[in-house]
Amino acid sequence: MKYHTYNIITIGCQMNKSDSERIAAYFEEQGMREEEDKYRADVVVLTTCGVRQSAEDRVYGFVPRIKKENPSCFLIITGCLSERNDVKKRLKDKVDLWIPIGDIINIKNQITNKLQIPNSKQDNCGYLELEAKYSSKFKAFVPIGNGCNNYCSYCVVPYARGREKYRSAETIINEVKGLVRGGYREITLIAQNVNSYIDGRQQAADSRKFGFPRLLNEIDDIPGEFWLRFATSHPKDMSDELIDVIAKCEHLCEHVHLPAQAGDNAVLKAMNRGYTIEHYIELINNLRRKINTRINRAINRTNKSRNYFAAPLSITTDIIVGFPGETKEQFVNTAKLFKEVKFDMAYIAQYSPRPGTAAVKLVDDVPKQEKKRREEALMKILRKTALENNKKYIKKTVEVLIEGKNKHGDWYGMTRTNKNVRIDSRQQTADSRNLLGQFVNVKIIEIREFGMRGELI
Ligand code: SAH
Ligand code: SF4
């Protein structure tokens, strides 16, 4: 049978979204067309996530439903669950092909021959050189590498994605240049731990290191009007050199996502995170001090509006509550961290044991109800600090990249500091331009914890 249409379902992180964009480009190259309805597509791909049980459960929901509604489809599973034997066993009659993400480079042969063809070079990064079909015309994720060497005790990623392997700086820079030439306004460099990037060509020879600070510098030097972001940074690898470079690069947005995971040193140790909370706080203080002093300069360069607001660095984090053995006192230290750092946003997860990790051997002894209580307690502090941080924006003018229009007809977008901004539709009738993918100046009228409303200037 010849396949004409495809549909890709992506679960999980930005890296999975980016992987799906590379898989989509392959199908397009074969002359296939995207079919929005997964129950009608000839080929359905599920890019899976194994980080939490809830993400895994979505796959157990999707697969039988797709095979029931669309029995003739060719169903492929890739991503983090594609090498888990227990998952394979559970879904074996319903899945036509399992492709570990690094083997996507052979996707053509695999689909044509309906065969699993392991990547002979054990290279989990080569596939990143495949072209991508970016899902947006103005925002793009550019993967700089794949895999993780850190083995945080709760985390499945090093098992699912293999060891760290990075692309050459040259191919990354060329991809970014191409995007900027094509009018892209926001580029996000992604890897499991961008801070340990080293130019792929030089991974063997440690002399003449080309690390993440130099990569940022070189990308920042690309001429054009674009914002630059990166994710994710591991606190143990955030060097002073990197902080200085972040503070200097003017395309780089004033937002850093720095996952703390916990606010207690004993818990951090049990998580195998490799830093203390004192070190984490010192990093935040250095980032704030150095970046906030250069913000006015960047603003002057990118925006001449007189009332333009020098929004301070925004800081976001990931936290796990209820790690095995986390006592109430230890949790209180995480709550203290929230009060001290005053995060702008936090992605708080209740611990869930993952097969194959070191922590799965520990007793998951914090009851579900208590995990929920801890999550809610942190959310309560977060709402307060985020609201307090956002108060600084009232009546100020900020630059917003417009990302879309909601069902009420209001344009919405993001600030450099990653704050959601909605623009009043009443005001837009006076300005009926298509603003999608444009930088606009917005005067903030009203703020909430996780969003703001404003009017076009
Ligand atoms: N590379 C990134 C994180 C990847 S996983 C980093 O180092 O920060 C994304 C997030 O999922 C993690 O930051 C963590 O907060 C959460 N997570 C990972 N494993 C988890 C588990 N077993 N239970 C609950 N949350 C988990
Ligand atoms: Fe997982 Fe830790 Fe690697 Fe992040 S750094 S992907 S949390 S093992």
PDB file of all heavy atoms in Angstrom, residues 412-444:
ATOM      1  N   TYR A 412      -2.788  37.691  21.011  1.00  0.00           N
ATOM      2  CA  TYR A 412      -2.006  37.435  22.221  1.00  0.00           C
ATOM      3  C   TYR A 412      -0.578  37.082  21.829  1.00  0.00           C
ATOM      4  O   TYR A 412      -0.306  36.687  20.690  1.00  0.00           O
ATOM      5  CB  TYR A 412      -2.618  36.316  23.081  1.00  0.00           C
ATOM      6  CG  TYR A 412      -2.690  34.990  22.346  1.00  0.00           C
ATOM      7  CD1 TYR A 412      -1.584  34.127  22.296  1.00  0.00           C
ATOM      8  CD2 TYR A 412      -3.849  34.621  21.684  1.00  0.00           C
ATOM      9  CE1 TYR A 412      -1.649  32.928  21.601  1.00  0.00           C
ATOM     10  CE2 TYR A 412      -3.923  33.421  20.993  1.00  0.00           C
ATOM     11  CZ  TYR A 412      -2.816  32.576  20.953  1.00  0.00           C
ATOM     12  OH  TYR A 412      -2.877  31.400  20.249  1.00  0.00           O
ATOM     13  N   GLY A 413       0.312  37.235  22.803  1.00  0.00           N
ATOM     14  CA  GLY A 413       1.719  36.908  22.529  1.00  0.00           C
ATOM     15  C   GLY A 413       2.522  36.874  23.806  1.00  0.00           C
ATOM     16  O   GLY A 413       1.958  36.777  24.910  1.00  0.00           O
ATOM     17  N   MET A 414       3.821  36.952  23.656  1.00  0.00           N
ATOM     18  CA  MET A 414       4.754  36.816  24.787  1.00  0.00           C
ATOM     19  C   MET A 414       5.695  38.014  24.832  1.00  0.00           C
ATOM     20  O   MET A 414       6.086  38.533  23.790  1.00  0.00           O
ATOM     21  CB  MET A 414       5.644  35.595  24.574  1.00  0.00           C
ATOM     22  CG  MET A 414       4.979  34.297  24.831  1.00  0.00           C
ATOM     23  SD  MET A 414       5.171  33.865  26.563  1.00  0.00           S
ATOM     24  CE  MET A 414       4.536  32.213  26.515  1.00  0.00           C
ATOM     25  N   THR A 415       6.099  38.372  26.036  1.00  0.00           N
ATOM     26  CA  THR A 415       7.165  39.374  26.192  1.00  0.00           C
ATOM     27  C   THR A 415       8.506  38.650  26.148  1.00  0.00           C
ATOM     28  O   THR A 415       8.556  37.419  26.208  1.00  0.00           O
ATOM     29  CB  THR A 415       7.058  40.080  27.555  1.00  0.00           C
ATOM     30  OG1 THR A 415       7.282  39.078  28.573  1.00  0.00           O
ATOM     31  CG2 THR A 415       5.699  40.723  27.750  1.00  0.00           C
ATOM     32  N   ARG A 416       9.582  39.425  26.107  1.00  0.00           N
ATOM     33  CA  ARG A 416      10.911  38.810  26.174  1.00  0.00           C
ATOM     34  C   ARG A 416      11.054  38.011  27.464  1.00  0.00           C
ATOM     35  O   ARG A 416      11.745  37.008  27.514  1.00  0.00           O
ATOM     36  CB  ARG A 416      12.007  39.892  26.132  1.00  0.00           C
ATOM     37  CG  ARG A 416      12.177  40.541  24.761  1.00  0.00           C
ATOM     38  CD  ARG A 416      13.157  41.706  24.830  1.00  0.00           C
ATOM     39  NE  ARG A 416      14.516  41.320  25.144  1.00  0.00           N
ATOM     40  CZ  ARG A 416      15.480  41.078  24.247  1.00  0.00           C
ATOM     41  NH1 ARG A 416      15.232  41.204  22.957  1.00  0.00           N
ATOM     42  NH2 ARG A 416      16.696  40.740  24.634  1.00  0.00           N
ATOM     43  N   THR A 417      10.357  38.470  28.517  1.00  0.00           N
ATOM     44  CA  THR A 417      10.447  37.801  29.812  1.00  0.00           C
ATOM     45  C   THR A 417       9.472  36.627  29.925  1.00  0.00           C
ATOM     46  O   THR A 417       9.244  36.123  31.017  1.00  0.00           O
ATOM     47  CB  THR A 417      10.174  38.819  30.938  1.00  0.00           C
ATOM     48  OG1 THR A 417       8.970  39.518  30.607  1.00  0.00           O
ATOM     49  CG2 THR A 417      11.315  39.794  31.090  1.00  0.00           C
ATOM     50  N   ASN A 418       8.898  36.214  28.796  1.00  0.00           N
ATOM     51  CA  ASN A 418       8.034  35.043  28.744  1.00  0.00           C
ATOM     52  C   ASN A 418       6.718  35.221  29.494  1.00  0.00           C
ATOM     53  O   ASN A 418       6.185  34.284  30.078  1.00  0.00           O
ATOM     54  CB  ASN A 418       8.778  33.814  29.303  1.00  0.00           C
ATOM     55  CG  ASN A 418       8.514  32.577  28.474  1.00  0.00           C
ATOM     56  OD1 ASN A 418       8.426  32.666  27.253  1.00  0.00           O
ATOM     57  ND2 ASN A 418       8.365  31.444  29.117  1.00  0.00           N
ATOM     58  N   LYS A 419       6.206  36.436  29.471  1.00  0.00           N
ATOM     59  CA  LYS A 419       4.901  36.702  30.089  1.00  0.00           C
ATOM     60  C   LYS A 419       3.852  36.722  28.983  1.00  0.00           C
ATOM     61  O   LYS A 419       4.068  37.344  27.930  1.00  0.00           O
ATOM     62  CB  LYS A 419       4.897  38.076  30.773  1.00  0.00           C
ATOM     63  CG  LYS A 419       6.025  38.282  31.769  1.00  0.00           C
ATOM     64  CD  LYS A 419       5.651  37.748  33.115  1.00  0.00           C
ATOM     65  CE  LYS A 419       6.751  37.984  34.130  1.00  0.00           C
ATOM     66  NZ  LYS A 419       6.470  37.328  35.395  1.00  0.00           N
ATOM     67  N   ASN A 420       2.705  36.065  29.240  1.00  0.00           N
ATOM     68  CA  ASN A 420       1.604  36.078  28.271  1.00  0.00           C
ATOM     69  C   ASN A 420       0.915  37.427  28.294  1.00  0.00           C
ATOM     70  O   ASN A 420       0.560  37.912  29.370  1.00  0.00           O
ATOM     71  CB  ASN A 420       0.553  35.026  28.656  1.00  0.00           C
ATOM     72  CG  ASN A 420       1.125  33.641  28.559  1.00  0.00           C
ATOM     73  OD1 ASN A 420       1.583  33.224  27.509  1.00  0.00           O
ATOM     74  ND2 ASN A 420       1.129  32.928  29.684  1.00  0.00           N
ATOM     75  N   VAL A 421       0.704  37.982  27.117  1.00  0.00           N
ATOM     76  CA  VAL A 421       0.006  39.270  27.032  1.00  0.00           C
ATOM     77  C   VAL A 421      -1.142  39.154  26.038  1.00  0.00           C
ATOM     78  O   VAL A 421      -0.972  38.612  24.949  1.00  0.00           O
ATOM     79  CB  VAL A 421       0.959  40.401  26.564  1.00  0.00           C
ATOM     80  CG1 VAL A 421       0.199  41.712  26.400  1.00  0.00           C
ATOM     81  CG2 VAL A 421       2.116  40.575  27.536  1.00  0.00           C
ATOM     82  N   ARG A 422      -2.310  39.649  26.446  1.00  0.00           N
ATOM     83  CA  ARG A 422      -3.475  39.650  25.568  1.00  0.00           C
ATOM     84  C   ARG A 422      -3.799  41.099  25.238  1.00  0.00           C
ATOM     85  O   ARG A 422      -3.706  41.975  26.098  1.00  0.00           O
ATOM     86  CB  ARG A 422      -4.650  39.004  26.315  1.00  0.00           C
ATOM     87  CG  ARG A 422      -5.927  38.904  25.533  1.00  0.00           C
ATOM     88  CD  ARG A 422      -6.934  38.055  26.291  1.00  0.00           C
ATOM     89  NE  ARG A 422      -7.318  38.636  27.587  1.00  0.00           N
ATOM     90  CZ  ARG A 422      -8.199  39.604  27.729  1.00  0.00           C
ATOM     91  NH1 ARG A 422      -8.799  40.154  26.685  1.00  0.00           N
ATOM     92  NH2 ARG A 422      -8.512  40.068  28.936  1.00  0.00           N
ATOM     93  N   ILE A 423      -4.160  41.327  23.971  1.00  0.00           N
ATOM     94  CA  ILE A 423      -4.466  42.702  23.557  1.00  0.00           C
ATOM     95  C   ILE A 423      -5.960  42.821  23.348  1.00  0.00           C
ATOM     96  O   ILE A 423      -6.576  41.996  22.674  1.00  0.00           O
ATOM     97  CB  ILE A 423      -3.699  43.067  22.281  1.00  0.00           C
ATOM     98  CG1 ILE A 423      -2.199  43.010  22.571  1.00  0.00           C
ATOM     99  CG2 ILE A 423      -4.089  44.441  21.773  1.00  0.00           C
ATOM    100  CD1 ILE A 423      -1.358  42.887  21.354  1.00  0.00           C
ATOM    101  N   ASP A 424      -6.537  43.870  23.902  1.00  0.00           N
ATOM    102  CA  ASP A 424      -7.982  44.084  23.810  1.00  0.00           C
ATOM    103  C   ASP A 424      -8.468  44.150  22.380  1.00  0.00           C
ATOM    104  O   ASP A 424      -7.957  44.936  21.597  1.00  0.00           O
ATOM    105  CB  ASP A 424      -8.314  45.434  24.477  1.00  0.00           C
ATOM    106  CG  ASP A 424      -8.986  45.198  25.798  1.00  0.00           C
ATOM    107  OD1 ASP A 424      -9.558  44.118  25.949  1.00  0.00           O
ATOM    108  OD2 ASP A 424      -8.928  46.097  26.655  1.00  0.00           O
ATOM    109  N   SER A 425      -9.504  43.354  22.040  1.00  0.00           N
ATOM    110  CA  SER A 425      -9.978  43.374  20.653  1.00  0.00           C
ATOM    111  C   SER A 425     -10.685  44.678  20.319  1.00  0.00           C
ATOM    112  O   SER A 425     -10.666  45.124  19.188  1.00  0.00           O
ATOM    113  CB  SER A 425     -10.881  42.186  20.362  1.00  0.00           C
ATOM    114  OG  SER A 425     -11.878  42.109  21.330  1.00  0.00           O
ATOM    115  N   ARG A 426     -11.299  45.321  21.326  1.00  0.00           N
ATOM    116  CA  ARG A 426     -12.000  46.588  21.062  1.00  0.00           C
ATOM    117  C   ARG A 426     -11.051  47.573  20.403  1.00  0.00           C
ATOM    118  O   ARG A 426     -11.374  48.285  19.484  1.00  0.00           O
ATOM    119  CB  ARG A 426     -12.487  47.209  22.378  1.00  0.00           C
ATOM    120  CG  ARG A 426     -13.849  46.747  22.777  1.00  0.00           C
ATOM    121  CD  ARG A 426     -14.130  47.161  24.183  1.00  0.00           C
ATOM    122  NE  ARG A 426     -13.177  46.556  25.103  1.00  0.00           N
ATOM    123  CZ  ARG A 426     -12.984  46.954  26.351  1.00  0.00           C
ATOM    124  NH1 ARG A 426     -13.622  47.977  26.828  1.00  0.00           N
ATOM    125  NH2 ARG A 426     -12.125  46.334  27.122  1.00  0.00           N
ATOM    126  N   GLN A 427      -9.802  47.521  20.903  1.00  0.00           N
ATOM    127  CA  GLN A 427      -8.842  48.473  20.405  1.00  0.00           C
ATOM    128  C   GLN A 427      -8.325  48.091  19.021  1.00  0.00           C
ATOM    129  O   GLN A 427      -7.913  48.946  18.242  1.00  0.00           O
ATOM    130  CB  GLN A 427      -7.688  48.518  21.402  1.00  0.00           C
ATOM    131  CG  GLN A 427      -6.857  49.760  21.301  1.00  0.00           C
ATOM    132  CD  GLN A 427      -5.407  49.424  21.304  1.00  0.00           C
ATOM    133  OE1 GLN A 427      -5.014  48.374  21.765  1.00  0.00           O
ATOM    134  NE2 GLN A 427      -4.596  50.318  20.781  1.00  0.00           N
ATOM    135  N   GLN A 428      -8.402  46.743  18.736  1.00  0.00           N
ATOM    136  CA  GLN A 428      -7.828  46.296  17.473  1.00  0.00           C
ATOM    137  C   GLN A 428      -8.615  46.737  16.252  1.00  0.00           C
ATOM    138  O   GLN A 428      -8.078  46.778  15.164  1.00  0.00           O
ATOM    139  CB  GLN A 428      -7.775  44.773  17.439  1.00  0.00           C
ATOM    140  CG  GLN A 428      -6.627  44.224  18.223  1.00  0.00           C
ATOM    141  CD  GLN A 428      -6.925  42.796  18.556  1.00  0.00           C
ATOM    142  OE1 GLN A 428      -7.541  42.079  17.793  1.00  0.00           O
ATOM    143  NE2 GLN A 428      -6.501  42.374  19.722  1.00  0.00           N
ATOM    144  N   THR A 429      -9.921  47.041  16.448  1.00  0.00           N
ATOM    145  CA  THR A 429     -10.700  47.463  15.285  1.00  0.00           C
ATOM    146  C   THR A 429     -10.058  48.703  14.671  1.00  0.00           C
ATOM    147  O   THR A 429     -10.107  48.904  13.471  1.00  0.00           O
ATOM    148  CB  THR A 429     -12.158  47.745  15.680  1.00  0.00           C
ATOM    149  OG1 THR A 429     -12.141  48.382  16.941  1.00  0.00           O
ATOM    150  CG2 THR A 429     -12.975  46.484  15.724  1.00  0.00           C
ATOM    151  N   ALA A 430      -9.432  49.497  15.512  1.00  0.00           N
ATOM    152  CA  ALA A 430      -8.744  50.679  14.995  1.00  0.00           C
ATOM    153  C   ALA A 430      -7.477  50.272  14.240  1.00  0.00           C
ATOM    154  O   ALA A 430      -6.938  51.016  13.458  1.00  0.00           O
ATOM    155  CB  ALA A 430      -8.390  51.609  16.148  1.00  0.00           C
ATOM    156  N   ASP A 431      -7.010  49.082  14.513  1.00  0.00           N
ATOM    157  CA  ASP A 431      -5.761  48.633  13.902  1.00  0.00           C
ATOM    158  C   ASP A 431      -5.981  47.206  13.402  1.00  0.00           C
ATOM    159  O   ASP A 431      -5.827  46.250  14.139  1.00  0.00           O
ATOM    160  CB  ASP A 431      -4.651  48.674  14.959  1.00  0.00           C
ATOM    161  CG  ASP A 431      -3.298  48.389  14.341  1.00  0.00           C
ATOM    162  OD1 ASP A 431      -3.272  47.785  13.257  1.00  0.00           O
ATOM    163  OD2 ASP A 431      -2.292  48.774  14.934  1.00  0.00           O
ATOM    164  N   SER A 432      -6.380  47.085  12.142  1.00  0.00           N
ATOM    165  CA  SER A 432      -6.788  45.764  11.669  1.00  0.00           C
ATOM    166  C   SER A 432      -5.664  45.016  10.947  1.00  0.00           C
ATOM    167  O   SER A 432      -5.924  44.091  10.201  1.00  0.00           O
ATOM    168  CB  SER A 432      -8.005  45.914  10.756  1.00  0.00           C
ATOM    169  OG  SER A 432      -7.648  46.808   9.731  1.00  0.00           O
ATOM    170  N   ARG A 433      -4.434  45.450  11.157  1.00  0.00           N
ATOM    171  CA  ARG A 433      -3.319  44.734  10.511  1.00  0.00           C
ATOM    172  C   ARG A 433      -3.269  43.287  10.986  1.00  0.00           C
ATOM    173  O   ARG A 433      -3.710  42.971  12.087  1.00  0.00           O
ATOM    174  CB  ARG A 433      -1.985  45.372  10.926  1.00  0.00           C
ATOM    175  CG  ARG A 433      -1.704  46.696  10.268  1.00  0.00           C
ATOM    176  CD  ARG A 433      -0.435  47.277  10.838  1.00  0.00           C
ATOM    177  NE  ARG A 433      -0.535  47.526  12.280  1.00  0.00           N
ATOM    178  CZ  ARG A 433       0.515  47.692  13.087  1.00  0.00           C
ATOM    179  NH1 ARG A 433       1.728  47.594  12.619  1.00  0.00           N
ATOM    180  NH2 ARG A 433       0.349  47.936  14.368  1.00  0.00           N
ATOM    181  N   ASN A 434      -2.673  42.430  10.154  1.00  0.00           N
ATOM    182  CA  ASN A 434      -2.398  41.078  10.626  1.00  0.00           C
ATOM    183  C   ASN A 434      -1.106  41.127  11.433  1.00  0.00           C
ATOM    184  O   ASN A 434      -0.030  41.349  10.898  1.00  0.00           O
ATOM    185  CB  ASN A 434      -2.255  40.132   9.437  1.00  0.00           C
ATOM    186  CG  ASN A 434      -1.968  38.720   9.901  1.00  0.00           C
ATOM    187  OD1 ASN A 434      -1.951  38.446  11.107  1.00  0.00           O
ATOM    188  ND2 ASN A 434      -1.741  37.822   8.966  1.00  0.00           N
ATOM    189  N   LEU A 435      -1.226  40.934  12.721  1.00  0.00           N
ATOM    190  CA  LEU A 435      -0.058  41.104  13.592  1.00  0.00           C
ATOM    191  C   LEU A 435       0.686  39.795  13.865  1.00  0.00           C
ATOM    192  O   LEU A 435       1.695  39.798  14.560  1.00  0.00           O
ATOM    193  CB  LEU A 435      -0.511  41.701  14.935  1.00  0.00           C
ATOM    194  CG  LEU A 435      -1.197  43.064  14.859  1.00  0.00           C
ATOM    195  CD1 LEU A 435      -1.599  43.523  16.260  1.00  0.00           C
ATOM    196  CD2 LEU A 435      -0.275  44.088  14.225  1.00  0.00           C
ATOM    197  N   LEU A 436       0.187  38.688  13.323  1.00  0.00           N
ATOM    198  CA  LEU A 436       0.789  37.393  13.622  1.00  0.00           C
ATOM    199  C   LEU A 436       2.291  37.382  13.300  1.00  0.00           C
ATOM    200  O   LEU A 436       2.706  37.746  12.200  1.00  0.00           O
ATOM    201  CB  LEU A 436       0.083  36.303  12.808  1.00  0.00           C
ATOM    202  CG  LEU A 436       0.451  34.873  13.182  1.00  0.00           C
ATOM    203  CD1 LEU A 436      -0.035  34.538  14.581  1.00  0.00           C
ATOM    204  CD2 LEU A 436      -0.125  33.892  12.170  1.00  0.00           C
ATOM    205  N   GLY A 437       3.090  36.992  14.295  1.00  0.00           N
ATOM    206  CA  GLY A 437       4.537  36.903  14.078  1.00  0.00           C
ATOM    207  C   GLY A 437       5.241  38.245  14.071  1.00  0.00           C
ATOM    208  O   GLY A 437       6.402  38.338  13.680  1.00  0.00           O
ATOM    209  N   GLN A 438       4.529  39.315  14.493  1.00  0.00           N
ATOM    210  CA  GLN A 438       5.141  40.650  14.502  1.00  0.00           C
ATOM    211  C   GLN A 438       5.531  41.049  15.926  1.00  0.00           C
ATOM    212  O   GLN A 438       4.877  40.644  16.884  1.00  0.00           O
ATOM    213  CB  GLN A 438       4.131  41.696  14.022  1.00  0.00           C
ATOM    214  CG  GLN A 438       3.491  41.420  12.701  1.00  0.00           C
ATOM    215  CD  GLN A 438       4.400  41.761  11.550  1.00  0.00           C
ATOM    216  OE1 GLN A 438       5.111  42.755  11.580  1.00  0.00           O
ATOM    217  NE2 GLN A 438       4.430  40.894  10.550  1.00  0.00           N
ATOM    218  N   PHE A 439       6.562  41.896  16.019  1.00  0.00           N
ATOM    219  CA  PHE A 439       6.870  42.537  17.295  1.00  0.00           C
ATOM    220  C   PHE A 439       6.020  43.799  17.388  1.00  0.00           C
ATOM    221  O   PHE A 439       6.022  44.603  16.458  1.00  0.00           O
ATOM    222  CB  PHE A 439       8.339  42.961  17.353  1.00  0.00           C
ATOM    223  CG  PHE A 439       9.298  41.790  17.445  1.00  0.00           C
ATOM    224  CD1 PHE A 439      10.269  41.591  16.477  1.00  0.00           C
ATOM    225  CD2 PHE A 439       9.244  40.922  18.522  1.00  0.00           C
ATOM    226  CE1 PHE A 439      11.164  40.525  16.569  1.00  0.00           C
ATOM    227  CE2 PHE A 439      10.135  39.858  18.618  1.00  0.00           C
ATOM    228  CZ  PHE A 439      11.088  39.662  17.636  1.00  0.00           C
ATOM    229  N   VAL A 440       5.280  43.948  18.485  1.00  0.00           N
ATOM    230  CA  VAL A 440       4.491  45.176  18.660  1.00  0.00           C
ATOM    231  C   VAL A 440       4.761  45.732  20.059  1.00  0.00           C
ATOM    232  O   VAL A 440       5.203  45.002  20.955  1.00  0.00           O
ATOM    233  CB  VAL A 440       2.964  44.909  18.516  1.00  0.00           C
ATOM    234  CG1 VAL A 440       2.611  44.455  17.117  1.00  0.00           C
ATOM    235  CG2 VAL A 440       2.475  43.905  19.552  1.00  0.00           C
ATOM    236  N   ASN A 441       4.494  47.020  20.238  1.00  0.00           N
ATOM    237  CA  ASN A 441       4.630  47.634  21.555  1.00  0.00           C
ATOM    238  C   ASN A 441       3.270  47.663  22.226  1.00  0.00           C
ATOM    239  O   ASN A 441       2.283  48.076  21.624  1.00  0.00           O
ATOM    240  CB  ASN A 441       5.181  49.052  21.431  1.00  0.00           C
ATOM    241  CG  ASN A 441       6.619  49.036  20.977  1.00  0.00           C
ATOM    242  OD1 ASN A 441       7.351  48.089  21.261  1.00  0.00           O
ATOM    243  ND2 ASN A 441       7.020  50.060  20.255  1.00  0.00           N
ATOM    244  N   VAL A 442       3.247  47.209  23.455  1.00  0.00           N
ATOM    245  CA  VAL A 442       1.971  47.107  24.162  1.00  0.00           C
ATOM    246  C   VAL A 442       2.090  47.799  25.521  1.00  0.00           C
ATOM    247  O   VAL A 442       3.056  47.580  26.251  1.00  0.00           O
ATOM    248  CB  VAL A 442       1.596  45.613  24.375  1.00  0.00           C
ATOM    249  CG1 VAL A 442       0.308  45.483  25.180  1.00  0.00           C
ATOM    250  CG2 VAL A 442       1.462  44.891  23.045  1.00  0.00           C
ATOM    251  N   LYS A 443       1.099  48.632  25.814  1.00  0.00           N
ATOM    252  CA  LYS A 443       1.058  49.258  27.147  1.00  0.00           C
ATOM    253  C   LYS A 443       0.201  48.374  28.049  1.00  0.00           C
ATOM    254  O   LYS A 443      -0.965  48.097  27.742  1.00  0.00           O
ATOM    255  CB  LYS A 443       0.463  50.659  27.049  1.00  0.00           C
ATOM    256  CG  LYS A 443       0.530  51.385  28.377  1.00  0.00           C
ATOM    257  CD  LYS A 443       0.065  52.802  28.214  1.00  0.00           C
ATOM    258  CE  LYS A 443      -0.046  53.449  29.570  1.00  0.00           C
ATOM    259  NZ  LYS A 443      -0.744  54.724  29.491  1.00  0.00           N
ATOM    260  N   ILE A 444       0.779  47.942  29.153  1.00  0.00           N
ATOM    261  CA  ILE A 444       0.088  46.997  30.040  1.00  0.00           C
ATOM    262  C   ILE A 444      -0.922  47.750  30.914  1.00  0.00           C
ATOM    263  O   ILE A 444      -0.594  48.743  31.569  1.00  0.00           O
ATOM    264  CB  ILE A 444       1.101  46.224  30.916  1.00  0.00           C
ATOM    265  CG1 ILE A 444       2.102  45.447  30.040  1.00  0.00           C
ATOM    266  CG2 ILE A 444       0.382  45.302  31.897  1.00  0.00           C
ATOM    267  CD1 ILE A 444       1.505  44.415  29.101  1.00  0.00           C
TER     268      ILE A 444
END
